[in-house]
């Protein structure tokens, strides 16, 4: 919640090196390597005044009013992030710095997502997870308004798909936090299963994103997982959106934010998410693959099913972004520099190409896994 909006653009990427042995999603015996990684960015303190004037200010005034209904002492200070869907406002409640999240687009899908996040924070009040999470201050599910404590720390990455490999210490801290969360077993009935695997696989097949063979292979892996223990036996509690940008690193330990998709998944969903967005960090990917598969064949198969779904979702997102960028970009006049929109489109296409390469790699791993059953 605290970082910049998850944009569907990415900086230009250098030529990708060949994939090192063992860094793919389906491991042969491999040795973990080492890499030099740049330092992460440090966040800025809250400062400034919120501007509630003008046409856009009317929307902000409405959001602040909805916050004041559930938290009258909230004093807005700064707009942290704003999109067509929601706005994040930093403020204070007494001596506490807080973040208010208000939905601007109340369409059913977005409203349900924020209500799920509110339910997650309320559940954490009763049963604390084994990772640090922001403290719930106030919430209104009907008006889709949430106020939580603002936690100190810097995001493990500023972009959804980091351009460079994060520092090893940051990756280690993030993986440690995710592993602790995935081992948590909250009381039955507290969280549901946000992802219907069978329906999602069929939908991607109907959209032409999965081939007939993909459909058959993934259904075989799902069938094998059901035989290995069923949803209850194979289920794992996951954050559901374990991006590095949703993990804050502080001296007292990692903090996980944005719990809109928390719930029960097949094992390895969070690890698949991290693998998918760390395309320029082969060492981290190798470590993630080892963690995902160390529990045996069933864990490997669950990780691969998750990876195919996560990568395909990312491809859908970026293909839509490229198409939108091309529609909105003005025409190029001969002799003039390309417009900024075209530059952004090229960045998106480079990332999209990498995602397709990753999906082909995962597809081969799925086929190899089916062949070993």
């Amino acid at each position: 919640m605290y970082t910049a909006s998850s944009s569907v653009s990415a900086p230009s990427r250098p030529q990708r090196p060949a994939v090192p042995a063992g860094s793919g999603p389906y491991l042969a015996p491999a040795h973990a390597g080492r890499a030099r990684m740049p330092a992460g960015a440090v966040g800025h303190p809250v400062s400034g005044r919120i501007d509630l004037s003008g046409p856009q200010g009317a929307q902000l005034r409405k959001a602040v009013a909805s916050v004041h209904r559930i938290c009258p002492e909230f004093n807005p200070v700064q707009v942290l992030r704003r999109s067509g869907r929601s706005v994040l406002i930093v403020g204070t409640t007494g001596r506490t710095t807080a973040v208010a999240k208000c939905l601007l687009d109340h369409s059913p899908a977005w409203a349900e997502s924020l209500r799920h996040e509110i339910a997650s924070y309320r559940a954490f009040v009763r049963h604390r997870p084994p990772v640090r999470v922001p403290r719930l201050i106030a919430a209104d599910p009907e008006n889709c308004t949430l106020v939580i404590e603002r936690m100190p720390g810097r995001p493990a990455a500023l972009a959804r798909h980091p351009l460079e490999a994060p520092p090893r210490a940051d990756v280690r801290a993030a993986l440690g936090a995710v592993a602790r969360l995935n081992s948590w077993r909250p009381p039955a009935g507290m969280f549901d299963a946000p992802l219907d695997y069978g329906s999602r696989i069929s939908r991607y097949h109907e959209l032409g994103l999965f081939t007939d063979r993909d459909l058959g292979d993934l259904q075989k892996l799902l069938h094998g997982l059901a035989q290995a223990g069923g949803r209850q036996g194979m289920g794992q509690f996951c954050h559901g959106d374990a991006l590095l940008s949703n993990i804050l690193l502080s001296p007292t330990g990692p903090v996980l934010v944005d719990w809109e998709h928390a719930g029960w998944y097949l094992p390895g969903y969070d690890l698949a998410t991290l693998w998918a967005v760390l395309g320029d960090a082969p060492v981290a990917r190798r470590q993630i693959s080892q963690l995902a598969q160390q529990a045996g064949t069933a864990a490997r198969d669950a990780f691969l099913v998750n990876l195919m779904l996560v990568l395909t979702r990312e491809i859908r997102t970026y293909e839509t972004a490229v198409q939108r960028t091309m529609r909105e970009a003005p025409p190029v006049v001969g002799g003039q520099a390309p417009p900024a929109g075209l530059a952004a489109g090229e960045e998106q296409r480079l990332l999209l190409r990498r995602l397709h390469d990753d999906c082909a790699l995962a597809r081969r791993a799925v086929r190899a896994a089916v062949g070993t059953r």
Side-chain angles (χ1 to χ4, degrees), residues 127-172:
H127 299 276
R128 296 183 63 84
V131 295
R132 297 183 66 213
V133 300
R135 178 176 59 88
L136 175 65
I137 297 176
D140 181 359
E142 292 301 318
N143 290 314
C144 297
T145 304
L146 171 67
V147 183
I148 59 174
E149 172 189 17
R150 191 189 193 202
M151 303 293 284
R154 59 178 176 84
L158 294 175
R160 184 180 186 89
H161 292 264
L163 175 62
E164 297 179 339
R168 284 178 293 178
D170 291 0
V171 173
R172 185 166 55 249

Short mmCIF file of all heavy atoms in Angstrom, two decimals, residues 127-172:
data_model
loop_
_atom_site.label_atom_id
_atom_site.label_comp_id
_atom_site.label_asym_id
_atom_site.label_seq_id
_atom_site.Cartn_x
_atom_site.Cartn_y
_atom_site.Cartn_z
N HIS A 127 -6.07 -13.17 15.53
CA HIS A 127 -5.03 -14.19 15.43
C HIS A 127 -3.85 -13.60 14.66
O HIS A 127 -3.94 -13.42 13.44
CB HIS A 127 -5.56 -15.44 14.72
CG HIS A 127 -6.71 -16.09 15.43
ND1 HIS A 127 -6.53 -16.98 16.47
CD2 HIS A 127 -8.05 -15.96 15.27
CE1 HIS A 127 -7.71 -17.38 16.90
NE2 HIS A 127 -8.65 -16.78 16.18
N ARG A 128 -2.80 -13.32 15.37
CA ARG A 128 -1.65 -12.66 14.76
C ARG A 128 -0.85 -13.65 13.91
O ARG A 128 -0.51 -14.75 14.37
CB ARG A 128 -0.74 -12.06 15.83
CG ARG A 128 -1.40 -10.95 16.63
CD ARG A 128 -0.42 -10.34 17.62
NE ARG A 128 0.70 -9.72 16.94
CZ ARG A 128 0.68 -8.47 16.45
NH1 ARG A 128 -0.43 -7.75 16.55
NH2 ARG A 128 1.72 -7.97 15.85
N PRO A 129 -0.52 -13.28 12.68
CA PRO A 129 0.31 -14.15 11.84
C PRO A 129 1.77 -14.09 12.30
O PRO A 129 2.14 -13.19 13.08
CB PRO A 129 0.14 -13.53 10.45
CG PRO A 129 -0.15 -12.09 10.71
CD PRO A 129 -0.94 -12.05 11.99
N PRO A 130 2.60 -14.99 11.82
CA PRO A 130 4.01 -15.01 12.25
C PRO A 130 4.88 -14.01 11.52
O PRO A 130 6.11 -14.14 11.51
CB PRO A 130 4.43 -16.46 11.93
CG PRO A 130 3.58 -16.83 10.77
CD PRO A 130 2.26 -16.15 10.97
N VAL A 131 4.29 -13.02 10.88
CA VAL A 131 5.03 -11.93 10.24
C VAL A 131 4.44 -10.61 10.71
O VAL A 131 3.31 -10.56 11.19
CB VAL A 131 4.95 -12.02 8.69
CG1 VAL A 131 5.65 -13.27 8.19
CG2 VAL A 131 3.50 -12.00 8.21
N ARG A 132 5.20 -9.54 10.57
CA ARG A 132 4.71 -8.24 10.98
C ARG A 132 3.75 -7.69 9.94
O ARG A 132 4.00 -7.75 8.74
CB ARG A 132 5.88 -7.27 11.18
CG ARG A 132 6.85 -7.67 12.28
CD ARG A 132 7.93 -6.63 12.46
NE ARG A 132 7.37 -5.38 12.96
CZ ARG A 132 7.83 -4.17 12.65
NH1 ARG A 132 8.83 -4.04 11.81
NH2 ARG A 132 7.27 -3.09 13.15
N VAL A 133 2.63 -7.17 10.42
CA VAL A 133 1.62 -6.56 9.55
C VAL A 133 1.19 -5.24 10.18
O VAL A 133 1.29 -5.07 11.40
CB VAL A 133 0.40 -7.48 9.36
CG1 VAL A 133 0.80 -8.80 8.74
CG2 VAL A 133 -0.31 -7.72 10.68
N PRO A 134 0.70 -4.28 9.40
CA PRO A 134 0.21 -3.03 9.98
C PRO A 134 -0.96 -3.26 10.91
O PRO A 134 -1.79 -4.15 10.70
CB PRO A 134 -0.21 -2.21 8.75
CG PRO A 134 0.56 -2.80 7.61
CD PRO A 134 0.68 -4.26 7.93
N ARG A 135 -1.05 -2.46 11.94
CA ARG A 135 -2.15 -2.55 12.90
C ARG A 135 -3.40 -1.89 12.33
O ARG A 135 -3.35 -0.80 11.77
CB ARG A 135 -1.75 -1.87 14.21
CG ARG A 135 -2.84 -1.85 15.29
CD ARG A 135 -2.30 -1.25 16.58
NE ARG A 135 -1.83 0.11 16.39
CZ ARG A 135 -2.61 1.19 16.48
NH1 ARG A 135 -3.90 1.07 16.75
NH2 ARG A 135 -2.10 2.40 16.30
N LEU A 136 -4.53 -2.56 12.47
CA LEU A 136 -5.80 -2.00 12.01
C LEU A 136 -6.23 -0.89 12.96
O LEU A 136 -6.26 -1.07 14.18
CB LEU A 136 -6.86 -3.10 11.96
CG LEU A 136 -8.28 -2.65 11.62
CD1 LEU A 136 -8.35 -2.12 10.20
CD2 LEU A 136 -9.27 -3.81 11.81
N ILE A 137 -6.59 0.26 12.40
CA ILE A 137 -7.09 1.39 13.20
C ILE A 137 -8.59 1.53 13.05
O ILE A 137 -9.32 1.65 14.04
CB ILE A 137 -6.38 2.69 12.80
CG1 ILE A 137 -4.87 2.59 13.10
CG2 ILE A 137 -6.99 3.89 13.51
CD1 ILE A 137 -4.07 3.80 12.64
N ALA A 138 -9.09 1.49 11.84
CA ALA A 138 -10.53 1.60 11.60
C ALA A 138 -10.83 1.08 10.21
O ALA A 138 -9.96 1.06 9.33
CB ALA A 138 -11.01 3.05 11.75
N ALA A 139 -12.08 0.67 10.01
CA ALA A 139 -12.47 0.15 8.70
C ALA A 139 -13.98 0.24 8.52
O ALA A 139 -14.74 0.14 9.49
CB ALA A 139 -12.02 -1.31 8.55
N ASP A 140 -14.38 0.45 7.28
CA ASP A 140 -15.79 0.51 6.92
C ASP A 140 -15.97 -0.28 5.62
O ASP A 140 -15.76 0.25 4.53
CB ASP A 140 -16.23 1.95 6.72
CG ASP A 140 -17.72 2.06 6.37
OD1 ASP A 140 -18.39 1.02 6.26
OD2 ASP A 140 -18.21 3.20 6.20
N PRO A 141 -16.33 -1.56 5.72
CA PRO A 141 -16.47 -2.37 4.50
C PRO A 141 -17.53 -1.85 3.54
O PRO A 141 -17.39 -1.97 2.32
CB PRO A 141 -16.84 -3.76 5.04
CG PRO A 141 -16.41 -3.76 6.47
CD PRO A 141 -16.57 -2.34 6.93
N GLU A 142 -18.61 -1.27 4.07
CA GLU A 142 -19.70 -0.81 3.20
C GLU A 142 -19.24 0.33 2.29
O GLU A 142 -19.57 0.37 1.11
CB GLU A 142 -20.89 -0.38 4.05
CG GLU A 142 -21.58 -1.52 4.76
CD GLU A 142 -22.08 -2.57 3.78
OE1 GLU A 142 -22.63 -2.19 2.72
OE2 GLU A 142 -21.90 -3.77 4.06
N ASN A 143 -18.49 1.28 2.87
CA ASN A 143 -18.00 2.41 2.09
C ASN A 143 -16.58 2.18 1.56
O ASN A 143 -15.99 3.10 0.98
CB ASN A 143 -18.02 3.69 2.93
CG ASN A 143 -19.43 4.16 3.20
OD1 ASN A 143 -20.26 4.20 2.31
ND2 ASN A 143 -19.71 4.48 4.46
N CYS A 144 -16.05 0.98 1.77
CA CYS A 144 -14.73 0.60 1.24
C CYS A 144 -13.65 1.58 1.68
O CYS A 144 -12.95 2.19 0.86
CB CYS A 144 -14.77 0.49 -0.28
SG CYS A 144 -15.90 -0.79 -0.88
N THR A 145 -13.52 1.73 2.99
CA THR A 145 -12.53 2.62 3.57
C THR A 145 -11.75 1.86 4.65
O THR A 145 -12.35 1.18 5.49
CB THR A 145 -13.19 3.86 4.20
OG1 THR A 145 -13.98 4.51 3.20
CG2 THR A 145 -12.15 4.83 4.73
N LEU A 146 -10.44 2.00 4.60
CA LEU A 146 -9.57 1.28 5.53
C LEU A 146 -8.51 2.23 6.07
O LEU A 146 -7.92 3.00 5.31
CB LEU A 146 -8.89 0.11 4.80
CG LEU A 146 -7.78 -0.64 5.53
CD1 LEU A 146 -8.33 -1.39 6.73
CD2 LEU A 146 -7.09 -1.61 4.57
N VAL A 147 -8.27 2.21 7.37
CA VAL A 147 -7.23 3.01 8.00
C VAL A 147 -6.34 2.07 8.80
O VAL A 147 -6.83 1.34 9.67
CB VAL A 147 -7.80 4.10 8.92
CG1 VAL A 147 -6.67 4.96 9.49
CG2 VAL A 147 -8.81 4.96 8.18
N ILE A 148 -5.06 2.07 8.49
CA ILE A 148 -4.12 1.21 9.19
C ILE A 148 -2.89 2.01 9.60
O ILE A 148 -2.65 3.12 9.10
CB ILE A 148 -3.67 0.01 8.32
CG1 ILE A 148 -3.02 0.51 7.03
CG2 ILE A 148 -4.83 -0.91 8.03
CD1 ILE A 148 -2.41 -0.61 6.20
N GLU A 149 -2.13 1.44 10.49
CA GLU A 149 -0.88 2.04 10.93
C GLU A 149 0.11 2.08 9.77
O GLU A 149 0.20 1.14 8.98
CB GLU A 149 -0.32 1.19 12.07
CG GLU A 149 1.06 1.54 12.53
CD GLU A 149 1.59 0.51 13.50
OE1 GLU A 149 1.04 -0.61 13.56
OE2 GLU A 149 2.58 0.81 14.20
N ARG A 150 0.84 3.18 9.65
CA ARG A 150 1.89 3.24 8.64
C ARG A 150 3.18 2.70 9.25
O ARG A 150 3.69 3.22 10.24
CB ARG A 150 2.12 4.67 8.14
CG ARG A 150 3.03 4.69 6.91
CD ARG A 150 3.45 6.08 6.52
NE ARG A 150 4.04 6.07 5.18
CZ ARG A 150 4.85 6.99 4.71
NH1 ARG A 150 5.18 8.02 5.48
NH2 ARG A 150 5.34 6.91 3.50
N MET A 151 3.69 1.64 8.66
CA MET A 151 4.85 0.96 9.20
C MET A 151 6.14 1.56 8.64
O MET A 151 6.19 1.98 7.48
CB MET A 151 4.80 -0.53 8.86
CG MET A 151 3.55 -1.22 9.34
SD MET A 151 3.45 -1.31 11.14
CE MET A 151 4.62 -2.62 11.46
N PRO A 152 7.19 1.65 9.45
CA PRO A 152 8.47 2.13 8.95
C PRO A 152 9.12 1.09 8.05
O PRO A 152 8.83 -0.10 8.14
CB PRO A 152 9.29 2.34 10.22
CG PRO A 152 8.73 1.34 11.19
CD PRO A 152 7.25 1.27 10.88
N GLY A 153 9.99 1.54 7.18
CA GLY A 153 10.72 0.62 6.33
C GLY A 153 10.70 1.06 4.88
O GLY A 153 9.95 1.94 4.48
N ARG A 154 11.54 0.43 4.09
CA ARG A 154 11.61 0.69 2.65
C ARG A 154 11.15 -0.55 1.91
O ARG A 154 11.35 -1.68 2.36
CB ARG A 154 13.06 1.02 2.25
CG ARG A 154 14.04 -0.10 2.57
CD ARG A 154 15.45 0.23 2.12
NE ARG A 154 16.38 -0.81 2.53
CZ ARG A 154 16.59 -1.93 1.85
NH1 ARG A 154 15.91 -2.15 0.72
NH2 ARG A 154 17.46 -2.83 2.27
N PRO A 155 10.51 -0.39 0.76
CA PRO A 155 10.08 -1.57 0.01
C PRO A 155 11.28 -2.35 -0.51
O PRO A 155 12.30 -1.77 -0.88
CB PRO A 155 9.25 -0.97 -1.13
CG PRO A 155 9.74 0.44 -1.26
CD PRO A 155 10.13 0.88 0.11
N ALA A 156 11.16 -3.66 -0.54
CA ALA A 156 12.24 -4.48 -1.07
C ALA A 156 12.48 -4.21 -2.55
O ALA A 156 13.56 -4.51 -3.07
CB ALA A 156 11.92 -5.96 -0.85
N ALA A 157 11.51 -3.65 -3.24
CA ALA A 157 11.67 -3.20 -4.62
C ALA A 157 10.64 -2.13 -4.88
O ALA A 157 9.55 -2.15 -4.31
CB ALA A 157 11.50 -4.36 -5.60
N LEU A 158 10.97 -1.19 -5.74
CA LEU A 158 10.05 -0.10 -6.07
C LEU A 158 9.15 -0.45 -7.25
O LEU A 158 8.08 0.13 -7.41
CB LEU A 158 10.83 1.18 -6.37
CG LEU A 158 11.59 1.79 -5.19
CD1 LEU A 158 12.42 2.98 -5.67
CD2 LEU A 158 10.64 2.21 -4.09
N ALA A 159 9.59 -1.38 -8.10
CA ALA A 159 8.82 -1.75 -9.29
C ALA A 159 8.27 -3.15 -9.13
O ALA A 159 8.80 -3.97 -8.37
CB ALA A 159 9.71 -1.68 -10.53
N ARG A 160 7.22 -3.42 -9.85
CA ARG A 160 6.64 -4.77 -9.82
C ARG A 160 7.65 -5.78 -10.35
O ARG A 160 7.82 -6.87 -9.78
CB ARG A 160 5.36 -4.79 -10.67
CG ARG A 160 4.62 -6.12 -10.65
CD ARG A 160 3.37 -6.09 -11.51
NE ARG A 160 2.59 -7.31 -11.37
CZ ARG A 160 1.65 -7.49 -10.46
NH1 ARG A 160 1.35 -6.51 -9.63
NH2 ARG A 160 0.98 -8.63 -10.38
N HIS A 161 8.31 -5.44 -11.44
CA HIS A 161 9.36 -6.28 -12.01
C HIS A 161 10.68 -5.51 -11.91
O HIS A 161 10.99 -4.68 -12.77
CB HIS A 161 9.05 -6.60 -13.48
CG HIS A 161 7.87 -7.50 -13.66
ND1 HIS A 161 7.99 -8.87 -13.82
CD2 HIS A 161 6.55 -7.22 -13.70
CE1 HIS A 161 6.78 -9.39 -13.96
NE2 HIS A 161 5.89 -8.42 -13.88
N PRO A 162 11.47 -5.74 -10.86
CA PRO A 162 12.71 -4.97 -10.69
C PRO A 162 13.65 -5.15 -11.88
O PRO A 162 13.79 -6.25 -12.42
CB PRO A 162 13.32 -5.58 -9.41
CG PRO A 162 12.17 -6.22 -8.70
CD PRO A 162 11.24 -6.69 -9.77
N LEU A 163 14.30 -4.04 -12.26
CA LEU A 163 15.22 -4.08 -13.40
C LEU A 163 16.48 -4.84 -13.06
O LEU A 163 17.04 -5.55 -13.88
CB LEU A 163 15.56 -2.65 -13.82
CG LEU A 163 16.62 -2.50 -14.92
CD1 LEU A 163 16.13 -3.16 -16.20
CD2 LEU A 163 16.94 -1.03 -15.16
N GLU A 164 16.95 -4.68 -11.83
CA GLU A 164 18.19 -5.33 -11.40
C GLU A 164 17.90 -6.26 -10.23
O GLU A 164 16.92 -6.09 -9.51
CB GLU A 164 19.22 -4.28 -10.99
CG GLU A 164 19.63 -3.36 -12.14
CD GLU A 164 20.63 -2.31 -11.70
OE1 GLU A 164 20.71 -2.04 -10.47
OE2 GLU A 164 21.35 -1.79 -12.55
N ALA A 165 18.78 -7.23 -10.05
CA ALA A 165 18.62 -8.17 -8.96
C ALA A 165 18.72 -7.44 -7.63
O ALA A 165 19.68 -6.71 -7.40
CB ALA A 165 19.69 -9.25 -9.04
N PRO A 166 17.75 -7.61 -6.73
CA PRO A 166 17.83 -6.96 -5.42
C PRO A 166 19.02 -7.52 -4.62
O PRO A 166 19.53 -8.60 -4.93
CB PRO A 166 16.50 -7.32 -4.75
CG PRO A 166 15.61 -7.76 -5.87
CD PRO A 166 16.51 -8.37 -6.90
N PRO A 167 19.44 -6.81 -3.59
CA PRO A 167 20.53 -7.33 -2.74
C PRO A 167 20.16 -8.69 -2.15
O PRO A 167 19.01 -8.95 -1.82
CB PRO A 167 20.66 -6.26 -1.65
CG PRO A 167 20.11 -5.01 -2.27
CD PRO A 167 19.02 -5.46 -3.18
N ARG A 168 21.17 -9.53 -1.99
CA ARG A 168 20.92 -10.87 -1.47
C ARG A 168 20.26 -10.82 -0.09
O ARG A 168 19.39 -11.64 0.22
CB ARG A 168 22.24 -11.65 -1.37
CG ARG A 168 22.75 -12.14 -2.72
CD ARG A 168 24.09 -12.84 -2.55
NE ARG A 168 25.13 -11.90 -2.14
CZ ARG A 168 26.38 -12.27 -1.88
NH1 ARG A 168 26.73 -13.53 -1.95
NH2 ARG A 168 27.28 -11.36 -1.53
N ALA A 169 20.68 -9.87 0.73
CA ALA A 169 20.09 -9.77 2.07
C ALA A 169 18.60 -9.45 1.99
O ALA A 169 17.80 -9.95 2.79
CB ALA A 169 20.83 -8.72 2.89
N ASP A 170 18.22 -8.60 1.03
CA ASP A 170 16.80 -8.26 0.88
C ASP A 170 15.99 -9.46 0.42
O ASP A 170 14.88 -9.71 0.91
CB ASP A 170 16.64 -7.12 -0.13
CG ASP A 170 17.19 -5.80 0.39
OD1 ASP A 170 17.69 -5.78 1.53
OD2 ASP A 170 17.13 -4.80 -0.35
N VAL A 171 16.52 -10.20 -0.54
CA VAL A 171 15.82 -11.40 -1.01
C VAL A 171 15.71 -12.42 0.12
O VAL A 171 14.65 -13.04 0.31
CB VAL A 171 16.55 -12.01 -2.22
CG1 VAL A 171 15.91 -13.34 -2.61
CG2 VAL A 171 16.51 -11.05 -3.41
N ARG A 172 16.78 -12.58 0.89
CA ARG A 172 16.76 -13.53 2.00
C ARG A 172 15.71 -13.14 3.03
O ARG A 172 14.96 -13.98 3.54
CB ARG A 172 18.15 -13.61 2.63
CG ARG A 172 18.27 -14.66 3.74
CD ARG A 172 19.72 -14.92 4.09
NE ARG A 172 20.42 -13.70 4.47
CZ ARG A 172 21.38 -13.12 3.75
NH1 ARG A 172 21.72 -13.64 2.58
NH2 ARG A 172 21.98 -12.03 4.18
#
